[in-house]
Amino acid sequence: MPKSREQAFNEIVRRVRKECFGKGPERIHTVFVDNMAISVLQGNLTPTEKFISRTPEGAEMVRLARTSMIQELYKRKVPEGLEEVAGSKFLYLFSDFKVEEDMGVSVFIFERPIPKEPLPDGFICGKQANQAQESAE
């Protein structure tokens, strides 16, 4: 059975967050609406971030890091496989984070509507695709 676009998209989002913050979200739920991917991410905070966020100033620092840093990261370089899974060019990322609930929401905007059909059988994207191509050579 082919992997759903949502599953593949979530794997990319989780990998990027883990590489950036040292921990990816424990749960991600993504829905595609027209040219948008809307992801709710839960269980994101590292033990250090939880410790820092015990004060209002620390919580705001964590919130800024979890929103501004990730937006800047996507602006500088589109994560491997993201556009392939969405079937369209990535344009913008809007995100917010509720430190108290350890929950974030990200809205990814693409150039064209995201296809409804599942990914083709054997679809591989991102780092996995590069590794598969290298081992085939």
Side-chain angles (χ1 to χ4, degrees), residues 35-117:
N35 68 328
M36 297 177 289
I38 304 162
S39 298
V40 177
L41 305 94
Q42 297 178 314
N44 303 275
L45 297 175
T46 65
T48 302
E49 288 172 319
K50 288 177 183 177
F51 178 79
I52 292 169
S53 65
R54 294 189 313 180
T55 66
E57 298 83 11
E60 181 59 16
M61 191 168 54
V62 169
R63 190 190 75 73
L64 283 172
R66 286 281 178 169
T67 55
S68 301
M69 282 176 61
I70 204 69
Q71 288 175 350
E72 186 60 35
L73 182 73
Y74 277 79
K75 195 185 302 182
R76 279 187 275 134
K77 183 179 184 297
V78 177
E80 285 184 61
L82 192 78
E83 294 178 330
E84 292 82 358
V85 169
S88 181
K89 182 180 179 344
F90 171 74
L91 299 176
Y92 309 106
L93 171 64
F94 297 90
S95 61
D96 201 2
F97 196 86
K98 291 290 272 182
V99 175
E100 304 80 26
E101 283 81 18
D102 193 358
M103 180 176 77
V105 174
S106 293
V107 180
F108 302 81
I109 308 292
F110 293 89
E111 192 172 63
R112 293 185 310 276
I114 299 165
K116 303 266 187 247
E117 56 277 345

